[in-house]
Amino acid sequence: MTYARIAGIGSFLPEKVVSNKDLEKIMETSDEWIRERTGIKRRHIAGEGETTGSMGLEAAKRAMDMAGVSADDIDLIILGTATPDKVFPSTACIIQRRLGAKGGPAFDVHAACSGFLYGLDLANRYVQTGGAQKALVIGSETLSRITNWEDRGTAVLFGDGAGAVVLEACDEPGIMATHIHANGEYEELLHVKQGVSIGYDITRKGEAFIEMNGNAVFKRAVATFDSIARETIADLDGHIDDIDWFVPHQANMRIIKAAAKKIGLPMERVIATVDEHANTSGASIPLALDQAVRDGRIKRGDTLLMAAFGAGFTWGSAMLKF
Ligand code: UT7
């Protein structure tokens, strides 16, 4: 049996940091409100010239460095993003070119905050069935470019950044289980309602914004963790203690706490970076994972559970031995 394991991980954050106090100066909000309702203290915002592609590229290079692989070794690139550089080609192809990799498939997966886990699920299947030996799975987002800075209900929530992993084929797990799901029924609760095929004039800069019914999304997110918890408990035959670390999508500290409780894990075993990064959608899980690997909390051999929920709605989970 062939499995996929994480051979390397990397991330990238833009230099510019915007604190809650900075936001107080441009909208009617307060550091206290944001911290209390979300756990967020600050977020990184892409500077001029920084894009989903450029940040994804840096994260990919760092992951490849850790894995000790070169561009010639990479035979699959999947990027989870809702904020691509161009309408086409895919940002995965743009990253492939800049890396100097050639020939293998490269494509974007559009599953909003679940994009990285969708990519991981797909890449795992490629590796398990011999379709790829070394795959890059990237999550990268420039949400600041679709943020309405006049809407305090959404503007305080999001940030920019990228994370990436190199998956490689091996004889032992590695990835033990992945699950991905979608239910399009709630499309309007969280969306950017502009798009190419509905006739959005892309020269009208600044009109394609994230719109969200925060309250309803919050409730759906928490409820969805019931089914994620059920799938996880079934995968583990009830042995939740086998999980060393829970690395959830970083949307809101209250959602993270509710999710950990449903799955049955204490907060000491949860990786939370939402305070420093805010919600970076598809980038948030690999960003959190990279931080915890590099600061020494997550070690080789640890069992990890990752889980995400986002627009679509989409959701999913992955369990693996690091
Ligand atoms: O990856 C999935 C993506 N999305 C999410 O995970 C977001 C899910 N939702 C949430 O995290 C929460 O719903 C929010 C953090 C967005 C909002 O928290 P809430 O506890 O649901 O607050 P609310 O929307 O019910 O608003 C409460 C009050 C309102 O004022 P009134 O009507 O009670 O006077 C809002 O106008 O808070 C007000 N408010 C704010 N006040 C200060 C909304 N945004 C702000 C703000 N600063 N930034």
Side-chain angles (χ1 to χ4, degrees), residues 267-317:
M267 282 308 287
E268 295 74 48
R269 283 197 267 155
V270 177
I271 305 297
T273 53
V274 67
D275 54 338
E276 296 293 323
H277 302 163
N279 181 347
T280 58
S281 187
S284 91
I285 289 179
L287 261 169
L289 178 63
D290 187 45
Q291 182 159 319
V293 168
R294 287 180 194 264
D295 70 20
R297 273 177 295 169
I298 293 180
K299 297 186 177 58
R300 282 288 173 199
D302 283 354
T303 300
L304 314 182
L305 172 69
M306 306 172 185
F309 172 86
F313 290 130
T314 57
W315 66 98
S317 64

mmCIF file of all heavy atoms in Angstrom, residues 267-317:
data_model
loop_
_atom_site.group_PDB
_atom_site.id
_atom_site.type_symbol
_atom_site.label_atom_id
_atom_site.label_comp_id
_atom_site.label_asym_id
_atom_site.label_seq_id
_atom_site.Cartn_x
_atom_site.Cartn_y
_atom_site.Cartn_z
ATOM 1 N N MET A 267 -8.243 22.356 24.969
ATOM 2 C CA MET A 267 -7.617 23.460 24.218
ATOM 3 C C MET A 267 -6.086 23.372 24.229
ATOM 4 O O MET A 267 -5.432 23.924 23.359
ATOM 5 C CB MET A 267 -8.081 24.813 24.768
ATOM 6 C CG MET A 267 -9.470 25.227 24.314
ATOM 7 S SD MET A 267 -9.711 25.159 22.515
ATOM 8 C CE MET A 267 -8.755 26.567 21.966
ATOM 9 N N GLU A 268 -5.516 22.652 25.211
ATOM 10 C CA GLU A 268 -4.038 22.507 25.241
ATOM 11 C C GLU A 268 -3.537 21.754 24.017
ATOM 12 O O GLU A 268 -2.356 21.804 23.695
ATOM 13 C CB GLU A 268 -3.577 21.721 26.496
ATOM 14 C CG GLU A 268 -3.832 22.386 27.820
ATOM 15 C CD GLU A 268 -5.302 22.350 28.223
ATOM 16 O OE1 GLU A 268 -5.917 21.272 28.135
ATOM 17 O OE2 GLU A 268 -5.844 23.415 28.608
ATOM 18 N N ARG A 269 -4.435 21.027 23.348
ATOM 19 C CA ARG A 269 -3.979 20.268 22.171
ATOM 20 C C ARG A 269 -4.493 20.883 20.860
ATOM 21 O O ARG A 269 -4.570 20.206 19.840
ATOM 22 C CB ARG A 269 -4.428 18.809 22.304
ATOM 23 C CG ARG A 269 -3.539 18.051 23.274
ATOM 24 C CD ARG A 269 -3.699 16.561 23.121
ATOM 25 N NE ARG A 269 -4.690 16.044 24.040
ATOM 26 C CZ ARG A 269 -5.389 14.929 23.858
ATOM 27 N NH1 ARG A 269 -5.220 14.216 22.771
ATOM 28 N NH2 ARG A 269 -6.252 14.524 24.751
ATOM 29 N N VAL A 270 -4.860 22.180 20.945
ATOM 30 C CA VAL A 270 -5.378 22.867 19.760
ATOM 31 C C VAL A 270 -4.368 23.931 19.317
ATOM 32 O O VAL A 270 -3.862 24.698 20.146
ATOM 33 C CB VAL A 270 -6.739 23.536 20.075
ATOM 34 C CG1 VAL A 270 -7.249 24.311 18.865
ATOM 35 C CG2 VAL A 270 -7.755 22.470 20.496
ATOM 36 N N ILE A 271 -4.070 23.980 18.021
ATOM 37 C CA ILE A 271 -3.194 25.029 17.491
ATOM 38 C C ILE A 271 -4.087 26.189 17.043
ATOM 39 O O ILE A 271 -4.927 26.039 16.153
ATOM 40 C CB ILE A 271 -2.361 24.518 16.282
ATOM 41 C CG1 ILE A 271 -1.560 23.265 16.642
ATOM 42 C CG2 ILE A 271 -1.456 25.640 15.760
ATOM 43 C CD1 ILE A 271 -0.510 23.431 17.722
ATOM 44 N N ALA A 272 -3.902 27.336 17.690
ATOM 45 C CA ALA A 272 -4.706 28.518 17.352
ATOM 46 C C ALA A 272 -3.779 29.679 16.988
ATOM 47 O O ALA A 272 -2.929 30.072 17.786
ATOM 48 C CB ALA A 272 -5.597 28.898 18.528
ATOM 49 N N THR A 273 -3.942 30.186 15.780
ATOM 50 C CA THR A 273 -3.144 31.339 15.334
ATOM 51 C C THR A 273 -4.047 32.481 14.889
ATOM 52 O O THR A 273 -3.568 33.475 14.340
ATOM 53 C CB THR A 273 -2.217 30.950 14.156
ATOM 54 O OG1 THR A 273 -3.028 30.345 13.145
ATOM 55 C CG2 THR A 273 -1.132 29.988 14.568
ATOM 56 N N VAL A 274 -5.357 32.310 15.126
ATOM 57 C CA VAL A 274 -6.319 33.316 14.654
ATOM 58 C C VAL A 274 -6.031 34.687 15.278
ATOM 59 O O VAL A 274 -6.291 35.723 14.665
ATOM 60 C CB VAL A 274 -7.771 32.833 14.917
ATOM 61 C CG1 VAL A 274 -8.078 32.758 16.405
ATOM 62 C CG2 VAL A 274 -8.782 33.689 14.184
ATOM 63 N N ASP A 275 -5.434 34.690 16.484
ATOM 64 C CA ASP A 275 -5.120 35.969 17.133
ATOM 65 C C ASP A 275 -4.119 36.787 16.314
ATOM 66 O O ASP A 275 -4.237 37.996 16.200
ATOM 67 C CB ASP A 275 -4.595 35.746 18.567
ATOM 68 C CG ASP A 275 -3.419 34.783 18.627
ATOM 69 O OD1 ASP A 275 -3.250 33.980 17.687
ATOM 70 O OD2 ASP A 275 -2.662 34.839 19.618
ATOM 71 N N GLU A 276 -3.166 36.099 15.693
ATOM 72 C CA GLU A 276 -2.096 36.779 14.953
ATOM 73 C C GLU A 276 -2.368 36.897 13.453
ATOM 74 O O GLU A 276 -1.856 37.798 12.796
ATOM 75 C CB GLU A 276 -0.770 36.017 15.126
ATOM 76 C CG GLU A 276 -0.253 35.988 16.562
ATOM 77 C CD GLU A 276 0.169 37.365 17.036
ATOM 78 O OE1 GLU A 276 0.718 38.131 16.229
ATOM 79 O OE2 GLU A 276 -0.067 37.686 18.224
ATOM 80 N N HIS A 277 -3.126 35.955 12.899
ATOM 81 C CA HIS A 277 -3.298 35.912 11.439
ATOM 82 C C HIS A 277 -4.702 36.306 10.979
ATOM 83 O O HIS A 277 -4.893 36.524 9.795
ATOM 84 C CB HIS A 277 -3.050 34.484 10.899
ATOM 85 C CG HIS A 277 -1.698 33.935 11.216
ATOM 86 N ND1 HIS A 277 -1.393 32.591 11.132
ATOM 87 C CD2 HIS A 277 -0.552 34.545 11.615
ATOM 88 C CE1 HIS A 277 -0.125 32.398 11.463
ATOM 89 N NE2 HIS A 277 0.396 33.557 11.784
ATOM 90 N N ALA A 278 -5.685 36.322 11.887
ATOM 91 C CA ALA A 278 -7.108 36.452 11.536
ATOM 92 C C ALA A 278 -7.497 35.291 10.614
ATOM 93 O O ALA A 278 -6.815 34.264 10.597
ATOM 94 C CB ALA A 278 -7.409 37.807 10.914
ATOM 95 N N ASN A 279 -8.565 35.453 9.845
ATOM 96 C CA ASN A 279 -9.037 34.374 8.976
ATOM 97 C C ASN A 279 -8.395 34.536 7.596
ATOM 98 O O ASN A 279 -8.703 35.476 6.872
ATOM 99 C CB ASN A 279 -10.569 34.446 8.876
ATOM 100 C CG ASN A 279 -11.149 33.344 8.007
ATOM 101 O OD1 ASN A 279 -10.438 32.654 7.288
ATOM 102 N ND2 ASN A 279 -12.464 33.190 8.073
ATOM 103 N N THR A 280 -7.491 33.613 7.259
ATOM 104 C CA THR A 280 -6.830 33.676 5.942
ATOM 105 C C THR A 280 -7.393 32.605 5.009
ATOM 106 O O THR A 280 -6.705 32.164 4.077
ATOM 107 C CB THR A 280 -5.303 33.525 6.070
ATOM 108 O OG1 THR A 280 -5.041 32.264 6.719
ATOM 109 C CG2 THR A 280 -4.663 34.652 6.866
ATOM 110 N N SER A 281 -8.622 32.186 5.255
ATOM 111 C CA SER A 281 -9.334 31.249 4.391
ATOM 112 C C SER A 281 -8.470 30.015 4.087
ATOM 113 O O SER A 281 -7.973 29.369 5.008
ATOM 114 C CB SER A 281 -9.793 31.979 3.129
ATOM 115 O OG SER A 281 -10.627 31.161 2.345
ATOM 116 N N GLY A 282 -8.258 29.717 2.798
ATOM 117 C CA GLY A 282 -7.540 28.491 2.415
ATOM 118 C C GLY A 282 -6.114 28.407 2.937
ATOM 119 O O GLY A 282 -5.515 27.328 2.955
ATOM 120 N N ALA A 283 -5.551 29.529 3.372
ATOM 121 C CA ALA A 283 -4.163 29.522 3.851
ATOM 122 C C ALA A 283 -4.069 29.205 5.337
ATOM 123 O O ALA A 283 -2.978 28.936 5.855
ATOM 124 C CB ALA A 283 -3.519 30.879 3.578
ATOM 125 N N SER A 284 -5.191 29.229 6.052
ATOM 126 C CA SER A 284 -5.089 29.274 7.517
ATOM 127 C C SER A 284 -4.562 27.983 8.137
ATOM 128 O O SER A 284 -3.784 28.024 9.087
ATOM 129 C CB SER A 284 -6.425 29.686 8.143
ATOM 130 O OG SER A 284 -7.232 28.581 8.439
ATOM 131 N N ILE A 285 -4.946 26.831 7.607
ATOM 132 C CA ILE A 285 -4.470 25.569 8.210
ATOM 133 C C ILE A 285 -2.973 25.368 7.984
ATOM 134 O O ILE A 285 -2.235 25.136 8.951
ATOM 135 C CB ILE A 285 -5.311 24.361 7.731
ATOM 136 C CG1 ILE A 285 -6.710 24.428 8.354
ATOM 137 C CG2 ILE A 285 -4.621 23.043 8.075
ATOM 138 C CD1 ILE A 285 -7.646 23.312 7.938
ATOM 139 N N PRO A 286 -2.466 25.483 6.741
ATOM 140 C CA PRO A 286 -1.014 25.285 6.598
ATOM 141 C C PRO A 286 -0.198 26.367 7.304
ATOM 142 O O PRO A 286 0.918 26.106 7.757
ATOM 143 C CB PRO A 286 -0.792 25.289 5.081
ATOM 144 C CG PRO A 286 -1.991 25.943 4.494
ATOM 145 C CD PRO A 286 -3.125 25.628 5.426
ATOM 146 N N LEU A 287 -0.750 27.576 7.440
ATOM 147 C CA LEU A 287 -0.059 28.628 8.203
ATOM 148 C C LEU A 287 0.053 28.235 9.678
ATOM 149 O O LEU A 287 1.128 28.355 10.282
ATOM 150 C CB LEU A 287 -0.853 29.936 8.102
ATOM 151 C CG LEU A 287 -0.387 30.982 7.100
ATOM 152 C CD1 LEU A 287 -1.445 32.072 6.946
ATOM 153 C CD2 LEU A 287 0.940 31.590 7.515
ATOM 154 N N ALA A 288 -1.040 27.752 10.241
ATOM 155 C CA ALA A 288 -1.032 27.356 11.664
ATOM 156 C C ALA A 288 -0.130 26.150 11.864
ATOM 157 O O ALA A 288 0.652 26.083 12.822
ATOM 158 C CB ALA A 288 -2.462 27.039 12.116
ATOM 159 N N LEU A 289 -0.218 25.199 10.943
ATOM 160 C CA LEU A 289 0.601 23.983 11.038
ATOM 161 C C LEU A 289 2.091 24.346 10.985
ATOM 162 O O LEU A 289 2.891 23.868 11.795
ATOM 163 C CB LEU A 289 0.234 23.048 9.873
ATOM 164 C CG LEU A 289 1.010 21.735 9.766
ATOM 165 C CD1 LEU A 289 0.761 20.859 10.981
ATOM 166 C CD2 LEU A 289 0.591 20.978 8.494
ATOM 167 N N ASP A 290 2.453 25.209 10.047
ATOM 168 C CA ASP A 290 3.866 25.584 9.898
ATOM 169 C C ASP A 290 4.383 26.247 11.173
ATOM 170 O O ASP A 290 5.488 25.943 11.644
ATOM 171 C CB ASP A 290 4.039 26.526 8.700
ATOM 172 C CG ASP A 290 5.509 26.788 8.411
ATOM 173 O OD1 ASP A 290 6.298 25.817 8.417
ATOM 174 O OD2 ASP A 290 5.880 27.950 8.183
ATOM 175 N N GLN A 291 3.561 27.123 11.739
ATOM 176 C CA GLN A 291 3.989 27.812 12.964
ATOM 177 C C GLN A 291 4.258 26.799 14.080
ATOM 178 O O GLN A 291 5.278 26.864 14.768
ATOM 179 C CB GLN A 291 2.916 28.809 13.404
ATOM 180 C CG GLN A 291 3.344 29.571 14.640
ATOM 181 C CD GLN A 291 2.573 30.873 14.781
ATOM 182 O OE1 GLN A 291 2.320 31.591 13.806
ATOM 183 N NE2 GLN A 291 2.181 31.183 15.994
ATOM 184 N N ALA A 292 3.342 25.846 14.239
ATOM 185 C CA ALA A 292 3.474 24.887 15.346
ATOM 186 C C ALA A 292 4.592 23.876 15.109
ATOM 187 O O ALA A 292 5.181 23.369 16.065
ATOM 188 C CB ALA A 292 2.140 24.165 15.556
ATOM 189 N N VAL A 293 4.900 23.590 13.842
ATOM 190 C CA VAL A 293 6.030 22.696 13.543
ATOM 191 C C VAL A 293 7.338 23.435 13.838
ATOM 192 O O VAL A 293 8.235 22.916 14.492
ATOM 193 C CB VAL A 293 5.985 22.229 12.073
ATOM 194 C CG1 VAL A 293 7.302 21.556 11.668
ATOM 195 C CG2 VAL A 293 4.809 21.266 11.860
ATOM 196 N N ARG A 294 7.404 24.690 13.388
ATOM 197 C CA ARG A 294 8.671 25.424 13.535
ATOM 198 C C ARG A 294 8.934 25.863 14.981
ATOM 199 O O ARG A 294 10.088 26.024 15.373
ATOM 200 C CB ARG A 294 8.721 26.608 12.569
ATOM 201 C CG ARG A 294 8.927 26.092 11.136
ATOM 202 C CD ARG A 294 8.993 27.152 10.087
ATOM 203 N NE ARG A 294 8.854 26.553 8.769
ATOM 204 C CZ ARG A 294 9.862 26.203 7.964
ATOM 205 N NH1 ARG A 294 11.094 26.392 8.342
ATOM 206 N NH2 ARG A 294 9.626 25.646 6.776
ATOM 207 N N ASP A 295 7.848 26.029 15.788
ATOM 208 C CA ASP A 295 8.125 26.386 17.199
ATOM 209 C C ASP A 295 8.277 25.137 18.080
ATOM 210 O O ASP A 295 8.412 25.242 19.300
ATOM 211 C CB ASP A 295 7.083 27.371 17.756
ATOM 212 C CG ASP A 295 5.695 26.755 17.969
ATOM 213 O OD1 ASP A 295 5.580 25.518 18.056
ATOM 214 O OD2 ASP A 295 4.712 27.526 18.046
ATOM 215 N N GLY A 296 8.226 23.962 17.457
ATOM 216 C CA GLY A 296 8.559 22.723 18.167
ATOM 217 C C GLY A 296 7.399 22.027 18.862
ATOM 218 O O GLY A 296 7.585 20.972 19.475
ATOM 219 N N ARG A 297 6.199 22.601 18.782
ATOM 220 C CA ARG A 297 5.079 21.914 19.426
ATOM 221 C C ARG A 297 4.743 20.613 18.693
ATOM 222 O O ARG A 297 4.621 19.555 19.279
ATOM 223 C CB ARG A 297 3.841 22.827 19.469
ATOM 224 C CG ARG A 297 3.813 23.730 20.685
ATOM 225 C CD ARG A 297 2.635 24.656 20.644
ATOM 226 N NE ARG A 297 2.723 25.603 19.534
ATOM 227 C CZ ARG A 297 1.732 26.405 19.131
ATOM 228 N NH1 ARG A 297 0.567 26.364 19.750
ATOM 229 N NH2 ARG A 297 1.909 27.264 18.137
ATOM 230 N N ILE A 298 4.571 20.712 17.373
ATOM 231 C CA ILE A 298 4.260 19.508 16.588
ATOM 232 C C ILE A 298 5.574 18.849 16.176
ATOM 233 O O ILE A 298 6.461 19.499 15.620
ATOM 234 C CB ILE A 298 3.407 19.869 15.345
ATOM 235 C CG1 ILE A 298 2.024 20.356 15.803
ATOM 236 C CG2 ILE A 298 3.298 18.673 14.410
ATOM 237 C CD1 ILE A 298 1.087 20.748 14.671
ATOM 238 N N LYS A 299 5.660 17.532 16.495
ATOM 239 C CA LYS A 299 6.899 16.793 16.206
ATOM 240 C C LYS A 299 6.605 15.643 15.259
ATOM 241 O O LYS A 299 5.454 15.195 15.151
ATOM 242 C CB LYS A 299 7.468 16.237 17.511
ATOM 243 C CG LYS A 299 7.862 17.336 18.483
ATOM 244 C CD LYS A 299 8.562 16.781 19.707
ATOM 245 C CE LYS A 299 9.008 17.915 20.626
ATOM 246 N NZ LYS A 299 7.880 18.786 21.064
ATOM 247 N N ARG A 300 7.646 15.168 14.589
ATOM 248 C CA ARG A 300 7.525 14.002 13.726
ATOM 249 C C ARG A 300 6.899 12.846 14.498
ATOM 250 O O ARG A 300 7.250 12.601 15.657
ATOM 251 C CB ARG A 300 8.903 13.574 13.196
ATOM 252 C CG ARG A 300 9.383 14.455 12.063
ATOM 253 C CD ARG A 300 8.590 14.186 10.797
ATOM 254 N NE ARG A 300 8.910 15.117 9.717
ATOM 255 C CZ ARG A 300 8.095 15.314 8.665
ATOM 256 N NH1 ARG A 300 6.941 14.700 8.570
ATOM 257 N NH2 ARG A 300 8.443 16.149 7.731
ATOM 258 N N GLY A 301 5.929 12.192 13.903
ATOM 259 C CA GLY A 301 5.269 11.058 14.559
ATOM 260 C C GLY A 301 3.978 11.442 15.259
ATOM 261 O O GLY A 301 3.181 10.569 15.608
ATOM 262 N N ASP A 302 3.756 12.732 15.471
ATOM 263 C CA ASP A 302 2.501 13.161 16.115
ATOM 264 C C ASP A 302 1.308 12.896 15.189
ATOM 265 O O ASP A 302 1.438 12.974 13.961
ATOM 266 C CB ASP A 302 2.538 14.676 16.426
ATOM 267 C CG ASP A 302 3.389 14.991 17.645
ATOM 268 O OD1 ASP A 302 3.857 14.047 18.313
ATOM 269 O OD2 ASP A 302 3.584 16.194 17.928
ATOM 270 N N THR A 303 0.165 12.615 15.808
ATOM 271 C CA THR A 303 -1.067 12.434 15.023
ATOM 272 C C THR A 303 -1.846 13.750 15.023
ATOM 273 O O THR A 303 -2.110 14.324 16.082
ATOM 274 C CB THR A 303 -1.925 11.305 15.620
ATOM 275 O OG1 THR A 303 -1.151 10.107 15.577
ATOM 276 C CG2 THR A 303 -3.206 11.088 14.828
ATOM 277 N N LEU A 304 -2.163 14.204 13.805
ATOM 278 C CA LEU A 304 -2.837 15.508 13.658
ATOM 279 C C LEU A 304 -4.221 15.339 13.075
ATOM 280 O O LEU A 304 -4.439 14.502 12.196
ATOM 281 C CB LEU A 304 -2.039 16.414 12.704
ATOM 282 C CG LEU A 304 -0.532 16.527 12.878
ATOM 283 C CD1 LEU A 304 0.034 17.517 11.855
ATOM 284 C CD2 LEU A 304 -0.193 16.990 14.288
ATOM 285 N N LEU A 305 -5.131 16.168 13.552
ATOM 286 C CA LEU A 305 -6.443 16.280 12.926
ATOM 287 C C LEU A 305 -6.577 17.716 12.426
ATOM 288 O O LEU A 305 -6.342 18.665 13.170
ATOM 289 C CB LEU A 305 -7.559 15.997 13.943
ATOM 290 C CG LEU A 305 -8.972 16.279 13.414
ATOM 291 C CD1 LEU A 305 -9.372 15.273 12.348
ATOM 292 C CD2 LEU A 305 -9.991 16.258 14.563
ATOM 293 N N MET A 306 -6.925 17.846 11.149
ATOM 294 C CA MET A 306 -7.196 19.183 10.594
ATOM 295 C C MET A 306 -8.663 19.213 10.188
ATOM 296 O O MET A 306 -9.186 18.208 9.704
ATOM 297 C CB MET A 306 -6.351 19.434 9.355
ATOM 298 C CG MET A 306 -4.880 19.234 9.561
ATOM 299 S SD MET A 306 -4.063 19.330 7.956
ATOM 300 C CE MET A 306 -2.417 18.933 8.443
ATOM 301 N N ALA A 307 -9.304 20.366 10.338
ATOM 302 C CA ALA A 307 -10.710 20.457 9.929
ATOM 303 C C ALA A 307 -11.028 21.890 9.519
ATOM 304 O O ALA A 307 -10.480 22.841 10.088
ATOM 305 C CB ALA A 307 -11.622 20.032 11.080
ATOM 306 N N ALA A 308 -11.885 22.015 8.516
ATOM 307 C CA ALA A 308 -12.223 23.352 8.012
ATOM 308 C C ALA A 308 -13.684 23.443 7.635
ATOM 309 O O ALA A 308 -14.342 22.429 7.357
ATOM 310 C CB ALA A 308 -11.364 23.679 6.790
ATOM 311 N N PHE A 309 -14.157 24.679 7.622
ATOM 312 C CA PHE A 309 -15.531 24.975 7.212
ATOM 313 C C PHE A 309 -15.507 26.328 6.503
ATOM 314 O O PHE A 309 -14.835 27.249 6.970
ATOM 315 C CB PHE A 309 -16.435 25.061 8.450
ATOM 316 C CG PHE A 309 -17.826 25.539 8.137
ATOM 317 C CD1 PHE A 309 -18.801 24.643 7.744
ATOM 318 C CD2 PHE A 309 -18.142 26.898 8.199
ATOM 319 C CE1 PHE A 309 -20.088 25.083 7.420
ATOM 320 C CE2 PHE A 309 -19.419 27.346 7.879
ATOM 321 C CZ PHE A 309 -20.391 26.437 7.493
ATOM 322 N N GLY A 310 -16.208 26.450 5.377
ATOM 323 C CA GLY A 310 -16.189 27.751 4.698
ATOM 324 C C GLY A 310 -17.298 27.918 3.684
ATOM 325 O O GLY A 310 -18.215 27.085 3.595
ATOM 326 N N ALA A 311 -17.183 28.993 2.903
ATOM 327 C CA ALA A 311 -18.233 29.348 1.941
ATOM 328 C C ALA A 311 -18.495 28.182 1.003
ATOM 329 O O ALA A 311 -17.606 27.416 0.649
ATOM 330 C CB ALA A 311 -17.811 30.582 1.148
ATOM 331 N N GLY A 312 -19.746 28.088 0.614
ATOM 332 C CA GLY A 312 -20.169 26.986 -0.269
ATOM 333 C C GLY A 312 -21.564 26.488 0.093
ATOM 334 O O GLY A 312 -22.464 26.577 -0.704
ATOM 335 N N PHE A 313 -21.774 25.969 1.333
ATOM 336 C CA PHE A 313 -20.721 25.683 2.300
ATOM 337 C C PHE A 313 -19.896 24.478 1.883
ATOM 338 O O PHE A 313 -20.432 23.526 1.298
ATOM 339 C CB PHE A 313 -21.301 25.447 3.698
ATOM 340 C CG PHE A 313 -21.844 26.716 4.324
ATOM 341 C CD1 PHE A 313 -23.108 26.755 4.883
ATOM 342 C CD2 PHE A 313 -21.087 27.870 4.345
ATOM 343 C CE1 PHE A 313 -23.596 27.931 5.454
ATOM 344 C CE2 PHE A 313 -21.562 29.044 4.925
ATOM 345 C CZ PHE A 313 -22.819 29.068 5.474
ATOM 346 N N THR A 314 -18.615 24.538 2.234
ATOM 347 C CA THR A 314 -17.741 23.391 2.072
ATOM 348 C C THR A 314 -17.165 23.074 3.446
ATOM 349 O O THR A 314 -17.055 23.961 4.284
ATOM 350 C CB THR A 314 -16.567 23.726 1.141
ATOM 351 O OG1 THR A 314 -15.863 24.849 1.683
ATOM 352 C CG2 THR A 314 -17.043 24.034 -0.279
ATOM 353 N N TRP A 315 -16.813 21.826 3.656
ATOM 354 C CA TRP A 315 -16.124 21.474 4.893
ATOM 355 C C TRP A 315 -15.352 20.176 4.697
ATOM 356 O O TRP A 315 -15.554 19.473 3.700
ATOM 357 C CB TRP A 315 -17.080 21.383 6.088
ATOM 358 C CG TRP A 315 -18.112 20.293 6.053
ATOM 359 C CD1 TRP A 315 -18.046 19.071 6.661
ATOM 360 C CD2 TRP A 315 -19.392 20.340 5.388
ATOM 361 N NE1 TRP A 315 -19.196 18.365 6.410
ATOM 362 C CE2 TRP A 315 -20.041 19.109 5.642
ATOM 363 C CE3 TRP A 315 -20.054 21.288 4.603
ATOM 364 C CZ2 TRP A 315 -21.306 18.806 5.136
ATOM 365 C CZ3 TRP A 315 -21.313 20.987 4.095
ATOM 366 C CH2 TRP A 315 -21.926 19.755 4.369
ATOM 367 N N GLY A 316 -14.469 19.902 5.627
ATOM 368 C CA GLY A 316 -13.693 18.679 5.488
ATOM 369 C C GLY A 316 -12.736 18.493 6.640
ATOM 370 O O GLY A 316 -12.632 19.339 7.531
ATOM 371 N N SER A 317 -12.050 17.333 6.612
ATOM 372 C CA SER A 317 -11.069 17.034 7.658
ATOM 373 C C SER A 317 -9.988 16.116 7.097
ATOM 374 O O SER A 317 -10.187 15.485 6.053
ATOM 375 C CB SER A 317 -11.747 16.371 8.862
ATOM 376 O OG SER A 317 -12.274 15.120 8.476
#
